[in-house]
Amino acid sequence: MSEPKAPTPAPGDTYKGWLFKWTNYIKGYQRRWFVLSNGLLSYYRTQAEMGHTCRGTINLATANIAVEDSCNFVISNGGTQTYHLKASSEVERQRWITALELAKAKAFRMQAESDDSGDDSTSPGAGQGAGSRNSEVQSTLRTLGSKVEDLSTCNDLIAKHGSALQRSLSELEGVRLGGETSEKIRQVTERATLFRITSNAMINACRDFLALAQAHSKRWQKALQAEREQRVRLEETLEQLAKQHNHLERAFRGATVLPPSQSNPAIDSKGPVPGKGDVSDEDEENEFFDACEDVQEFITVPADPKYHRRSGSNVSGISSELGMDDGTTSLDEQSLASSPESPQSQEVVPVRKRRSRIPDKPNYSLNLWSIMKNCIGKELSKIPMPVNFNEPLSMLQRLSEDLEYYELLDRGAKCQSSLEQMCYVAAFTVSSYSTTVHRTGKPFNPLLGETFELDRMQESGYRSLCEQVSHHPPAAAHHAISERGWTLRQEIALASKFRGKYLSIMPLGSIHCIFEKSNNHYTWKKVTTTVHNIIVGKLWIDQSGEIDVVNHRTGDRCHLKFAPYSYFSRDVARKVTGVVTDKNGKAHYVLSGTWDEKMECSRVMQSSRGGENGADGRQKTVYQTLKAKELWRKTPLPEGAENMYYFSTLALTLNEPEEGIAPTDSRRRPDQRLMEQGRWEEANAEKQRLEEKQRTTRREREREANRTANPAEEAEEVEIASEPSETTYKTETLHGSYPPAYSMEGPYGAPVKSGHHDNYKSMWFEQQVDPMTGEPTHIYRGGYWEAKEQGDWDSCPNIF
């Protein structure tokens, strides 16, 4: 059976055919199917293997091709790969040699072009030496280009004369001996002579090309390596300059936009307060405009000096709000003066000594990609995650950490002005994110019905209760009340998506804060939390988005903007800005700071249009403000926090065992307790047990709900109980054995109605329509603290 004749190779074409490859001394040469494409020579056992199994590949750009005899030739790339090949005939061998040489030349040219394009990206103006080298390279490239054109021309001539010689030989075979024999032989001789001449020209051109390429190869490699090293050094220098420039910008902006607090003996005695940028008082009356980026919506400048030298008669309204007057003092001026660094830094002697350490986090290795690669695009709450990704706190305890800086609400409750009170509420909103800056661990998903109490009535004057009120979608209700005149309540459902490189967590639901004395009712929502470098690199967390804090009684509003982090931004990292306006839209206070360190507010004395244009083409508003007052500053983390999951002082006490708590409290959760003790393998096993128990309980609850809603179906099921297969099928179908893709959630995680009912009702909260926002939410119904006083927990389910 004859083999298909291989086509004559042409530049850029894929060349295929059979060759014999040397395997070993036992088997000798074995027949293999070779494919030459894109500068790569690959081989397979059969043509059928081309789609799935490649036996080997060699790159011709760096390979050496040598002819041994009439049929044998060798391809080697320097020792790591060597192919000893044999063609079926000398003509076939020559076809392969020609195709390989053309492919090698093309691969080498493509590699050189890619290297040249990489070199072109380096900065110009490297000096006269670089220019001379560039001209030399260009001259050499032109010479090589002319040689390649000569080779192409010779190739065309060889193909033409070779075809004519082949035809003459074929005609010669069919000629009878006679008078025309001498004429045919003469034609063959002429054509063979032309073919030999053309072949010699081709060989000479190849020799010249090879000699020129070899002469410049080492020089080009050294020049290329030098250019790459220089580019790396330039990149490192540029990065260092960018960091220094960013640092100087922060220092300058801090000195012009965030004026310091008024001179205070307590501050002067301690020296400068550390912050994003130290501030000098000698330029307090100079007017500076902030060099902000377009993302900022306004510009702040110090107010005219006449506002600082005002008399008590014309500033009584101002001094009553933040104590700006030298002669009079507002309600909070004494507290701010006595605690200049932060309102929460006052030491409170606790009634009970609480723990200040937990066991250090063990160092367990984990193949992250093996777990994460199947999680892309899925809802995080539906992914079984090992405790290696967790921190030993539940989401309910994490929610209670919003009260870390409760004293901001205590101070807000004392305010006479709703606008001043709004400043403290806004600072409290920002402070709740300060504990997340290093907290890359995922909190435990609470079980349905799980609760967490935080009773700090004796130490801090408040008590808090959280309960997991829904499992699909996961939602937690929170209620806190203080004896100092404020109530905080919220219901938060988390929508989280894993995007491959980062994890986005979008809290859904509103937060309510009510002050009893003034009856001011504030609401706001949380911003998006993003965890970066999930797969590769060091994990880090960013907060981004906008918050509108609204006072529903007065119409006051505070618009806060959390700027997303950008390496190329000249602005302060983790920056937060905001403006407090009344119901008419008039600005009264400007807030500025960072969500991981501090927040300050400045009284607006005058506003005008005239700043630089923003991204939308409109002019920014310029606010003339008085000296900034510090509202909040983050309390430093305890010593050794990096070994304790970066927990704050409050977070270290949240999982501390307590007597008299409910049996559903997160402190009693066994897998969480085992993880805190460093027994992670046992914690993983216990976590799976609890999750399976919750699924079983949920199926039982749905079965009971279906029986109540559809008694006819239950009777039908009993009638056919004599048929085991039908009964089994019906039971599994009706009572909760759903396929994996089955979902009972609608858009934004909202449950949708289906044939399966869940009659679960939360223990301490009841669902109502909120009169302020119109949203369905769970509100505390009461009874928990009374049950704790009586020690009566009989109505609590056994979830652990």
Side-chain angles (χ1 to χ4, degrees), residues 346-393:
Q346 299 175 351
E347 294 185 1
V348 179
V349 179
V351 176
R352 170 187 171 183
K353 182 175 178 59
R354 301 189 182 274
R355 69 181 185 180
S356 59
R357 288 198 61 84
I358 61 173
D360 289 350
K361 178 182 178 180
N363 186 16
Y364 288 128
S365 61
L366 181 67
N367 187 354
L368 182 63
W369 177 245
S370 63
I371 298 173
M372 286 297 187
K373 65 182 180 180
N374 296 322
C375 304
I376 298 176
K378 294 183 180 179
E379 179 70 25
L380 188 64
S381 61
K382 295 183 178 181
I383 300 172
M385 305 288 281
V387 299
N388 305 60
F389 297 101
N390 288 45
E391 61 180 18
L393 289 178

Short mmCIF file of all heavy atoms in Angstrom, two decimals, residues 346-393:
data_model
loop_
_atom_site.label_atom_id
_atom_site.label_comp_id
_atom_site.label_asym_id
_atom_site.label_seq_id
_atom_site.Cartn_x
_atom_site.Cartn_y
_atom_site.Cartn_z
N GLN A 346 -10.71 56.53 77.22
CA GLN A 346 -10.83 56.64 78.66
C GLN A 346 -10.86 55.25 79.27
O GLN A 346 -11.54 54.36 78.80
CB GLN A 346 -12.13 57.38 79.02
CG GLN A 346 -12.17 58.81 78.48
CD GLN A 346 -13.51 59.45 78.76
OE1 GLN A 346 -14.44 58.78 79.19
NE2 GLN A 346 -13.58 60.74 78.51
N GLU A 347 -10.12 55.07 80.33
CA GLU A 347 -10.05 53.77 80.97
C GLU A 347 -11.25 53.58 81.88
O GLU A 347 -11.55 54.41 82.73
CB GLU A 347 -8.75 53.66 81.77
CG GLU A 347 -7.50 53.67 80.91
CD GLU A 347 -6.25 53.45 81.73
OE1 GLU A 347 -6.41 53.26 82.95
OE2 GLU A 347 -5.16 53.47 81.15
N VAL A 348 -11.96 52.49 81.67
CA VAL A 348 -13.10 52.13 82.49
C VAL A 348 -12.72 50.91 83.31
O VAL A 348 -12.31 49.89 82.76
CB VAL A 348 -14.34 51.83 81.62
CG1 VAL A 348 -15.51 51.44 82.50
CG2 VAL A 348 -14.68 53.05 80.78
N VAL A 349 -12.82 51.03 84.61
CA VAL A 349 -12.46 49.91 85.48
C VAL A 349 -13.55 48.86 85.37
O VAL A 349 -14.70 49.11 85.75
CB VAL A 349 -12.31 50.38 86.93
CG1 VAL A 349 -11.95 49.21 87.83
CG2 VAL A 349 -11.25 51.47 87.02
N PRO A 350 -13.27 47.69 84.81
CA PRO A 350 -14.31 46.68 84.63
C PRO A 350 -14.68 46.01 85.94
O PRO A 350 -13.86 45.86 86.84
CB PRO A 350 -13.67 45.68 83.67
CG PRO A 350 -12.21 45.81 83.92
CD PRO A 350 -11.97 47.24 84.30
N VAL A 351 -15.95 45.63 86.02
CA VAL A 351 -16.41 44.89 87.18
C VAL A 351 -15.80 43.50 87.16
O VAL A 351 -15.45 42.94 88.20
CB VAL A 351 -17.94 44.82 87.19
CG1 VAL A 351 -18.45 43.97 88.35
CG2 VAL A 351 -18.53 46.22 87.26
N ARG A 352 -15.67 42.95 85.98
CA ARG A 352 -15.11 41.60 85.85
C ARG A 352 -13.86 41.67 84.99
O ARG A 352 -13.84 42.32 83.96
CB ARG A 352 -16.14 40.68 85.19
CG ARG A 352 -15.57 39.33 84.79
CD ARG A 352 -16.57 38.53 83.99
NE ARG A 352 -15.98 37.34 83.43
CZ ARG A 352 -16.61 36.47 82.63
NH1 ARG A 352 -17.87 36.71 82.31
NH2 ARG A 352 -16.00 35.42 82.16
N LYS A 353 -12.82 41.00 85.43
CA LYS A 353 -11.58 40.97 84.66
C LYS A 353 -11.74 39.94 83.54
O LYS A 353 -11.94 38.76 83.80
CB LYS A 353 -10.39 40.59 85.56
CG LYS A 353 -9.06 40.59 84.81
CD LYS A 353 -7.91 40.34 85.75
CE LYS A 353 -6.58 40.28 85.00
NZ LYS A 353 -6.30 41.51 84.27
N ARG A 354 -11.63 40.42 82.32
CA ARG A 354 -11.82 39.55 81.18
C ARG A 354 -10.47 39.20 80.56
O ARG A 354 -9.47 39.88 80.79
CB ARG A 354 -12.72 40.22 80.14
CG ARG A 354 -14.10 40.57 80.71
CD ARG A 354 -15.06 41.02 79.64
NE ARG A 354 -16.35 41.38 80.22
CZ ARG A 354 -17.33 40.51 80.45
NH1 ARG A 354 -17.16 39.22 80.15
NH2 ARG A 354 -18.47 40.90 80.99
N ARG A 355 -10.47 38.13 79.78
CA ARG A 355 -9.21 37.61 79.27
C ARG A 355 -8.62 38.57 78.23
O ARG A 355 -9.34 39.29 77.54
CB ARG A 355 -9.41 36.23 78.65
CG ARG A 355 -10.22 36.20 77.37
CD ARG A 355 -10.39 34.79 76.86
NE ARG A 355 -11.07 34.76 75.56
CZ ARG A 355 -11.35 33.64 74.89
NH1 ARG A 355 -11.03 32.46 75.41
NH2 ARG A 355 -11.95 33.70 73.71
N SER A 356 -7.32 38.54 78.12
CA SER A 356 -6.61 39.40 77.18
C SER A 356 -5.79 38.60 76.17
O SER A 356 -5.08 39.20 75.35
CB SER A 356 -5.68 40.35 77.94
OG SER A 356 -4.74 39.62 78.71
N ARG A 357 -5.87 37.27 76.21
CA ARG A 357 -5.15 36.43 75.25
C ARG A 357 -5.99 35.20 74.93
O ARG A 357 -6.84 34.78 75.72
CB ARG A 357 -3.79 35.97 75.79
CG ARG A 357 -2.73 37.05 75.87
CD ARG A 357 -1.35 36.43 75.98
NE ARG A 357 -1.01 35.60 74.83
CZ ARG A 357 -0.50 36.08 73.70
NH1 ARG A 357 -0.26 37.36 73.58
NH2 ARG A 357 -0.22 35.27 72.69
N ILE A 358 -5.72 34.64 73.74
CA ILE A 358 -6.25 33.34 73.36
C ILE A 358 -5.08 32.52 72.83
O ILE A 358 -4.01 33.07 72.57
CB ILE A 358 -7.35 33.47 72.29
CG1 ILE A 358 -6.80 34.12 71.02
CG2 ILE A 358 -8.55 34.22 72.82
CD1 ILE A 358 -7.79 34.13 69.86
N PRO A 359 -5.22 31.20 72.69
CA PRO A 359 -4.11 30.41 72.15
C PRO A 359 -3.67 30.92 70.79
O PRO A 359 -4.48 31.35 69.97
CB PRO A 359 -4.69 28.99 72.06
CG PRO A 359 -5.78 28.96 73.10
CD PRO A 359 -6.35 30.34 73.12
N ASP A 360 -2.35 30.91 70.55
CA ASP A 360 -1.82 31.39 69.29
C ASP A 360 -2.33 30.54 68.12
O ASP A 360 -2.58 29.34 68.26
CB ASP A 360 -0.29 31.35 69.30
CG ASP A 360 0.30 32.41 70.21
OD1 ASP A 360 -0.48 33.27 70.67
OD2 ASP A 360 1.52 32.37 70.47
N LYS A 361 -2.46 31.19 66.99
CA LYS A 361 -2.93 30.51 65.78
C LYS A 361 -1.87 29.51 65.32
O LYS A 361 -0.71 29.88 65.11
CB LYS A 361 -3.19 31.54 64.69
CG LYS A 361 -3.63 30.95 63.36
CD LYS A 361 -3.84 32.05 62.33
CE LYS A 361 -4.24 31.46 60.97
NZ LYS A 361 -4.44 32.51 59.95
N PRO A 362 -2.23 28.23 65.14
CA PRO A 362 -1.24 27.25 64.64
C PRO A 362 -0.92 27.49 63.18
O PRO A 362 -1.71 28.09 62.44
CB PRO A 362 -1.93 25.91 64.86
CG PRO A 362 -3.39 26.22 64.86
CD PRO A 362 -3.53 27.61 65.42
N ASN A 363 0.23 27.02 62.78
CA ASN A 363 0.70 27.20 61.40
C ASN A 363 0.48 25.90 60.64
O ASN A 363 1.32 25.01 60.62
CB ASN A 363 2.18 27.59 61.38
CG ASN A 363 2.67 27.93 59.99
OD1 ASN A 363 1.86 28.16 59.09
ND2 ASN A 363 3.97 27.92 59.81
N TYR A 364 -0.69 25.79 60.01
CA TYR A 364 -1.02 24.62 59.22
C TYR A 364 -0.97 24.99 57.74
O TYR A 364 -1.51 26.02 57.33
CB TYR A 364 -2.43 24.10 59.55
CG TYR A 364 -2.53 23.42 60.88
CD1 TYR A 364 -3.52 23.79 61.79
CD2 TYR A 364 -1.65 22.41 61.25
CE1 TYR A 364 -3.63 23.18 63.03
CE2 TYR A 364 -1.75 21.79 62.48
CZ TYR A 364 -2.74 22.18 63.36
OH TYR A 364 -2.82 21.56 64.58
N SER A 365 -0.31 24.14 56.94
CA SER A 365 -0.27 24.38 55.49
C SER A 365 -1.55 23.88 54.86
O SER A 365 -2.18 22.94 55.34
CB SER A 365 0.94 23.67 54.87
OG SER A 365 0.86 22.27 55.08
N LEU A 366 -1.93 24.51 53.74
CA LEU A 366 -3.17 24.16 53.06
C LEU A 366 -3.03 24.47 51.58
O LEU A 366 -2.52 25.51 51.21
CB LEU A 366 -4.35 24.95 53.64
CG LEU A 366 -5.72 24.66 53.03
CD1 LEU A 366 -6.16 23.25 53.38
CD2 LEU A 366 -6.74 25.66 53.52
N ASN A 367 -3.46 23.50 50.74
CA ASN A 367 -3.48 23.72 49.30
C ASN A 367 -4.74 24.51 48.96
O ASN A 367 -5.83 23.96 48.81
CB ASN A 367 -3.47 22.38 48.56
CG ASN A 367 -3.31 22.58 47.06
OD1 ASN A 367 -3.33 23.71 46.56
ND2 ASN A 367 -3.15 21.49 46.34
N LEU A 368 -4.58 25.84 48.85
CA LEU A 368 -5.73 26.70 48.66
C LEU A 368 -6.43 26.48 47.33
O LEU A 368 -7.65 26.44 47.24
CB LEU A 368 -5.29 28.16 48.79
CG LEU A 368 -6.36 29.22 48.69
CD1 LEU A 368 -7.36 29.06 49.81
CD2 LEU A 368 -5.75 30.61 48.74
N TRP A 369 -5.64 26.30 46.26
CA TRP A 369 -6.24 26.21 44.93
C TRP A 369 -7.09 24.96 44.78
O TRP A 369 -8.11 24.98 44.08
CB TRP A 369 -5.14 26.26 43.88
CG TRP A 369 -5.68 26.08 42.48
CD1 TRP A 369 -5.46 25.07 41.63
CD2 TRP A 369 -6.59 26.95 41.81
NE1 TRP A 369 -6.14 25.26 40.46
CE2 TRP A 369 -6.84 26.41 40.54
CE3 TRP A 369 -7.20 28.16 42.16
CZ2 TRP A 369 -7.67 27.03 39.64
CZ3 TRP A 369 -8.03 28.76 41.24
CH2 TRP A 369 -8.26 28.19 40.00
N SER A 370 -6.70 23.87 45.44
CA SER A 370 -7.47 22.64 45.31
C SER A 370 -8.87 22.80 45.86
O SER A 370 -9.80 22.11 45.45
CB SER A 370 -6.76 21.50 46.07
OG SER A 370 -6.70 21.80 47.45
N ILE A 371 -9.06 23.75 46.78
CA ILE A 371 -10.38 23.98 47.35
C ILE A 371 -11.11 25.07 46.58
O ILE A 371 -12.30 24.97 46.29
CB ILE A 371 -10.25 24.36 48.83
CG1 ILE A 371 -9.61 23.20 49.61
CG2 ILE A 371 -11.60 24.71 49.44
CD1 ILE A 371 -9.29 23.54 51.04
N MET A 372 -10.39 26.12 46.18
CA MET A 372 -11.03 27.29 45.59
C MET A 372 -11.40 27.13 44.13
O MET A 372 -12.28 27.82 43.64
CB MET A 372 -10.10 28.51 45.74
CG MET A 372 -10.04 29.05 47.15
SD MET A 372 -11.64 29.65 47.69
CE MET A 372 -11.21 30.40 49.25
N LYS A 373 -10.74 26.22 43.41
CA LYS A 373 -10.97 26.18 41.96
C LYS A 373 -12.39 25.76 41.62
O LYS A 373 -12.87 26.06 40.52
CB LYS A 373 -9.97 25.24 41.32
CG LYS A 373 -10.11 23.77 41.73
CD LYS A 373 -9.05 22.91 41.07
CE LYS A 373 -9.18 21.46 41.48
NZ LYS A 373 -8.15 20.61 40.84
N ASN A 374 -13.09 25.07 42.54
CA ASN A 374 -14.46 24.65 42.28
C ASN A 374 -15.48 25.59 42.90
O ASN A 374 -16.66 25.28 42.95
CB ASN A 374 -14.68 23.23 42.84
CG ASN A 374 -13.84 22.20 42.13
OD1 ASN A 374 -13.64 22.28 40.92
ND2 ASN A 374 -13.31 21.24 42.87
N CYS A 375 -15.01 26.74 43.43
CA CYS A 375 -15.91 27.64 44.13
C CYS A 375 -16.20 28.91 43.35
O CYS A 375 -16.94 29.76 43.83
CB CYS A 375 -15.30 28.01 45.49
SG CYS A 375 -14.91 26.59 46.53
N ILE A 376 -15.59 29.08 42.17
CA ILE A 376 -15.72 30.34 41.45
C ILE A 376 -17.17 30.55 41.03
O ILE A 376 -17.78 29.67 40.43
CB ILE A 376 -14.79 30.37 40.24
CG1 ILE A 376 -13.33 30.26 40.69
CG2 ILE A 376 -15.01 31.62 39.40
CD1 ILE A 376 -12.34 30.20 39.56
N GLY A 377 -17.71 31.72 41.37
CA GLY A 377 -19.06 32.08 40.98
C GLY A 377 -20.15 31.55 41.88
O GLY A 377 -21.32 31.81 41.64
N LYS A 378 -19.80 30.83 42.94
CA LYS A 378 -20.82 30.24 43.82
C LYS A 378 -21.06 31.14 45.02
O LYS A 378 -20.22 31.94 45.40
CB LYS A 378 -20.38 28.85 44.29
CG LYS A 378 -20.29 27.82 43.18
CD LYS A 378 -19.93 26.46 43.74
CE LYS A 378 -19.84 25.41 42.64
NZ LYS A 378 -19.46 24.09 43.18
N GLU A 379 -22.22 30.98 45.65
CA GLU A 379 -22.53 31.68 46.88
C GLU A 379 -21.67 31.12 47.99
O GLU A 379 -21.60 29.91 48.21
CB GLU A 379 -24.02 31.50 47.22
CG GLU A 379 -24.45 32.18 48.51
CD GLU A 379 -24.45 33.68 48.37
OE1 GLU A 379 -24.58 34.20 47.25
OE2 GLU A 379 -24.31 34.34 49.41
N LEU A 380 -20.97 32.01 48.71
CA LEU A 380 -19.99 31.57 49.69
C LEU A 380 -20.63 30.75 50.80
O LEU A 380 -20.03 29.82 51.32
CB LEU A 380 -19.27 32.78 50.28
CG LEU A 380 -18.07 32.47 51.19
CD1 LEU A 380 -16.97 31.79 50.40
CD2 LEU A 380 -17.54 33.74 51.83
N SER A 381 -21.88 31.09 51.18
CA SER A 381 -22.52 30.39 52.28
C SER A 381 -22.88 28.96 51.92
O SER A 381 -23.22 28.17 52.79
CB SER A 381 -23.79 31.15 52.70
OG SER A 381 -24.68 31.21 51.60
N LYS A 382 -22.79 28.58 50.63
CA LYS A 382 -23.12 27.22 50.21
C LYS A 382 -21.89 26.38 49.94
O LYS A 382 -22.01 25.26 49.45
CB LYS A 382 -24.00 27.27 48.96
CG LYS A 382 -25.36 27.91 49.19
CD LYS A 382 -26.21 27.86 47.93
CE LYS A 382 -27.58 28.47 48.18
NZ LYS A 382 -28.43 28.41 46.98
N ILE A 383 -20.72 26.88 50.24
CA ILE A 383 -19.48 26.15 50.00
C ILE A 383 -18.98 25.57 51.31
O ILE A 383 -18.80 26.30 52.27
CB ILE A 383 -18.41 27.09 49.39
CG1 ILE A 383 -18.91 27.66 48.06
CG2 ILE A 383 -17.10 26.35 49.21
CD1 ILE A 383 -18.00 28.73 47.49
N PRO A 384 -18.77 24.24 51.39
CA PRO A 384 -18.21 23.67 52.62
C PRO A 384 -16.74 24.03 52.76
O PRO A 384 -15.89 23.52 52.04
CB PRO A 384 -18.42 22.15 52.43
CG PRO A 384 -18.45 21.97 50.94
CD PRO A 384 -19.04 23.22 50.37
N MET A 385 -16.42 24.90 53.67
CA MET A 385 -15.07 25.40 53.83
C MET A 385 -14.46 24.82 55.10
O MET A 385 -15.11 24.77 56.14
CB MET A 385 -15.08 26.93 53.92
CG MET A 385 -15.76 27.62 52.76
SD MET A 385 -14.80 27.51 51.25
CE MET A 385 -13.60 28.79 51.55
N PRO A 386 -13.20 24.39 55.05
CA PRO A 386 -12.54 23.93 56.27
C PRO A 386 -12.25 25.11 57.19
O PRO A 386 -12.25 26.26 56.78
CB PRO A 386 -11.23 23.31 55.74
CG PRO A 386 -10.99 23.98 54.44
CD PRO A 386 -12.34 24.29 53.86
N VAL A 387 -11.99 24.80 58.46
CA VAL A 387 -11.77 25.86 59.44
C VAL A 387 -10.45 26.57 59.19
O VAL A 387 -10.18 27.60 59.82
CB VAL A 387 -11.81 25.29 60.87
CG1 VAL A 387 -13.16 24.68 61.17
CG2 VAL A 387 -10.70 24.27 61.09
N ASN A 388 -9.61 26.05 58.30
CA ASN A 388 -8.34 26.72 58.00
C ASN A 388 -8.56 28.14 57.49
O ASN A 388 -7.69 28.98 57.61
CB ASN A 388 -7.56 25.92 56.95
CG ASN A 388 -7.34 24.48 57.37
OD1 ASN A 388 -8.29 23.75 57.59
ND2 ASN A 388 -6.09 24.07 57.47
N PHE A 389 -9.72 28.39 56.89
CA PHE A 389 -10.02 29.72 56.37
C PHE A 389 -10.71 30.60 57.41
O PHE A 389 -10.98 31.76 57.15
CB PHE A 389 -10.91 29.63 55.13
CG PHE A 389 -10.26 28.92 53.98
CD1 PHE A 389 -10.57 27.60 53.69
CD2 PHE A 389 -9.33 29.56 53.19
CE1 PHE A 389 -9.98 26.95 52.63
CE2 PHE A 389 -8.73 28.92 52.12
CZ PHE A 389 -9.06 27.61 51.85
N ASN A 390 -11.05 30.04 58.56
CA ASN A 390 -11.89 30.74 59.52
C ASN A 390 -11.05 31.43 60.59
O ASN A 390 -9.85 31.21 60.71
CB ASN A 390 -12.86 29.77 60.19
CG ASN A 390 -13.98 29.33 59.24
OD1 ASN A 390 -13.74 28.99 58.09
ND2 ASN A 390 -15.19 29.32 59.73
N GLU A 391 -11.74 32.22 61.38
CA GLU A 391 -11.25 32.70 62.66
C GLU A 391 -12.21 32.18 63.72
O GLU A 391 -13.39 31.95 63.42
CB GLU A 391 -11.18 34.23 62.68
CG GLU A 391 -12.53 34.90 62.48
CD GLU A 391 -12.42 36.43 62.52
OE1 GLU A 391 -11.29 36.94 62.36
OE2 GLU A 391 -13.45 37.08 62.71
N PRO A 392 -11.75 31.97 64.95
CA PRO A 392 -12.61 31.33 65.96
C PRO A 392 -13.67 32.26 66.52
O PRO A 392 -13.81 32.43 67.73
CB PRO A 392 -11.60 30.89 67.03
CG PRO A 392 -10.47 31.84 66.90
CD PRO A 392 -10.38 32.17 65.45
N LEU A 393 -14.46 32.87 65.65
CA LEU A 393 -15.61 33.69 66.03
C LEU A 393 -16.70 33.44 65.00
O LEU A 393 -16.41 33.16 63.83
CB LEU A 393 -15.27 35.17 66.06
CG LEU A 393 -14.36 35.70 67.17
CD1 LEU A 393 -14.11 37.18 67.01
CD2 LEU A 393 -14.94 35.42 68.55
#
